[in-house]
Amino acid sequence: MGAALPRPAVKDIHRVESAIAGYGDEFVALRRDIHRHPELSFREHRTSALVVERLAQWGYEVTAGIAGTGVVGTLRRGPGRSLGIRADMDALPIQEKTGLAYASTNAGVMHACGHDGHTAILLAAARFLAESGEFAGTLHLIFQPAEELGAGAKRMIDEGLFERFPCDAVFGLHNWPCVGEGYVGCVSGPAMAAIDQAIIIVRGKGGHGAQPQETVDPVVASAHLITALQTVVARNVDPLDMGVVTVGSIHGGEASNVIPGSVELKLTARSFKPEVRALLQRRIPALAKAQAESFGAQAEVDYRPGFPPVINHEAETAFAREVALDTFGPGLVDAAFRPRTASEDFAFMLQARPGSYVFFGNGDSASLHSPLYDFNDAILAPAAIYWVRLAERFLSGEAAAEQR
């Protein structure tokens, strides 16, 4: 960046706060309605219809059916820059155990990640921006399906998202449990990890549990393999880099006195850097096969690359942080916020366009993907105010001025 240029006047935050406070309860009720009716990835038909109805009511150009259930609402205010803001809509295959009055009515399906909140936040911002927003340019609000599968963002992009709705930058946010309520975290560079999966079948020779000498025991081979897999990170990855290998599922055998013929392992691998990701992809299959062979067994490895790490762009992240500081003050902006090893398919959008992924503290809540999780409604209005402020400032040209 060169010398700082005079900054455009910052919009009066009080007009935004008072307006959103005036209809905040409406969006809490909407969030809880979505929570009560969760829908799995690519099945978000009711949620999508709700989004379409609200956006059309407020005067947006609405395009539905992108990636099946995805929606884009467009608001044009003359010539200028273009901005994309994304919210995810899908739920998880989890049986809710919160006991809340608005708990899921769909057995085995739950909003356990806060996508109901993300959708409500963006809708609240959408209403204000349509009714009272002060900006010049084009705003695209992207309501994405199937984040939990890691498939929705890429499918929207493959179906021409950014060709049909050009964006000079794109932003998204995620609530984060056990971070102070309403605290904002901005991370430049790697912010969330790449995710890959592997299914390993260890094949041996089954037999009677009382005669192990007649078998090739895949259970013992698998037990040693699980331990050996931990050395991939401990002894192959630079200690200054991040890598995670977790075996989350083991299945083999039915009876205590029968040695099965095979055991299935399922694991996840996480990383920030491409070279670490490539190392894990090489070493995990090689180690699995060698370890199985050392017990006379064989290992078949189905390695499934997932999606890349979320890499926030430096200039856009600096802008997102500046908006947070001006909106909430330094007391609510976490300067020490660290990258997360969870994964997010917003990574594909950041590969296609400059932008940043921001974190909002959910307070003292159960963890994401827990059957006890619930989105904190107290952060809905502040997060909506943040989107309004970011949109108005970006589309005023302020972000461009800050980057020069």
Side-chain angles (χ1 to χ4, degrees):
M1 295 185 187
L5 298 180
R7 293 172 57 179
V10 176
K11 306 299 181 183
D12 180 7
I13 187 174
H14 299 297
R15 71 184 179 88
V16 184
E17 288 179 334
S18 60
I20 290 181
Y23 49 69
D25 289 346
E26 170 190 341
F27 288 94
V28 169
L30 182 145
R31 197 284 294 182
R32 294 182 178 187
D33 176 73
I34 296 172
H35 188 93
R36 192 179 290 113
H37 302 95
E39 297 169 299
L40 295 174
S41 299
F42 291 128
R43 304 180 195 175
E44 308 93 335
H45 301 290
R46 182 182 185 276
T47 308
S48 178
L50 182 154
V51 169
V52 168
E53 178 185 8
R54 295 300 178 101
L55 293 177
Q57 176 184 330
W58 299 324
Y60 284 80
E61 300 172 28
V62 181
T63 305
I66 306 172
T69 48
V71 179
V72 175
T74 299
L75 197 61
R76 304 181 195 276
R77 294 273 170 85
R81 307 172 78 208
S82 58
L83 170 67
I85 303 178
R86 172 269 209 175
D88 36 18
M89 301 187 293
D90 56 329
L92 284 155
I94 294 174
Q95 181 63 45
E96 183 164 356
K97 296 180 180 179
T98 63
L100 294 166
Y102 51 87
S104 171
T105 58
N106 296 342
V109 183
M110 176 192 176
H111 271 295
C113 204
H115 297 184
D116 50 343
H118 302 165
T119 297
I121 287 166
L122 191 52
L123 285 173
R127 175 175 170 180
F128 180 91
L129 288 163
E131 295 177 350
S132 308
E134 297 180 6
F135 64 88
T138 301
L139 175 67
H140 298 300
L141 304 183
I142 303 165
F143 293 84
Q144 180 203 308
E147 186 281 327
E148 297 295 358
L149 291 182
K154 188 173 188 304
R155 182 169 164 186
M156 290 189 86
I157 293 167
D158 289 346
E159 292 185 13
L161 175 67
F162 293 121
E163 288 74 32
R164 299 166 66 184
F165 309 97
C167 296
D168 291 309
V170 62
F171 293 85
L173 67 74
H174 206 295
N175 79 93
W176 212 263
C178 300
V179 173
E181 179 181 297
Y183 278 75
V184 181
C186 299
V187 180
S188 186
M192 298 186 78
I195 178 174
D196 298 316
Q197 295 177 305
I199 299 176
I200 302 173
I201 307 295
V202 179
R203 299 193 185 279
K205 177 184 176 184
H208 200 293
Q211 297 175 307
Q213 75 280 6
E214 302 293 333
T215 73
V216 175
D217 191 339
V219 176
V220 172
S222 297
H224 282 265
L225 171 56
I226 291 169
T227 300
L229 284 169
Q230 302 312 304
T231 68
V232 174
V233 172
R235 287 296 176 267
N236 297 136
V237 175
D238 187 320
L240 298 179
D241 293 331
M242 190 283 292
V244 174
V245 176
T246 295
V247 178
S249 174
I250 310 170
H251 288 281
E254 298 292 338
S256 63
N257 64 340
V258 178
I259 294 172
S262 65
V263 173
E264 179 191 74
L265 311 176
K266 294 181 180 179
L267 63 86
T268 183
R270 310 286 174 125
S271 56
F272 287 139
K273 292 185 175 181
E275 56 268 31
V276 174
R277 190 180 187 194
L279 184 150
L280 296 178
Q281 188 171 357
R282 291 194 309 272
R283 288 293 298 140
I284 288 171
L287 181 60
K289 292 173 183 178
Q291 190 73 28
E293 288 173 3
S294 73
F295 287 88
Q298 293 182 326
E300 301 169 4
V301 183
D302 179 10
Y303 202 92
R304 302 177 179 181
F307 40 96
V310 172
I311 307 293
N312 283 336
H313 296 247
E314 182 178 358
E316 285 70 26
T317 303
F319 170 69
R321 182 181 292 108
E322 184 64 26
V323 173
L325 286 167
D326 282 354
T327 303
F328 305 116
L332 284 176
V333 179
D334 188 346
F337 198 87
R338 301 177 66 189
R340 268 37 189 173
T341 53
S343 301
E344 220 321 323
D345 77 344
F346 190 70
F348 290 114
M349 294 196 181
L350 291 176
Q351 286 187 333
R353 290 294 182 272
S356 192
Y357 198 61
V358 179
F359 301 88
F360 252 80
N362 200 54
D364 186 16
S365 73
S367 65
L368 301 175
H369 294 208
S370 164
L372 299 174
Y373 168 86
D374 186 39
F375 176 84
N376 185 350
D377 287 323
I379 70 170
L380 197 158
I385 292 167
Y386 178 75
W387 277 148
V388 169
R389 298 266 291 166
L390 184 141
E392 289 189 333
R393 287 181 56 166
F394 187 91
L395 294 174
S396 75
E398 186 167 342
E402 290 178 352
Q403 292 175 37
R404 287 197 291 266

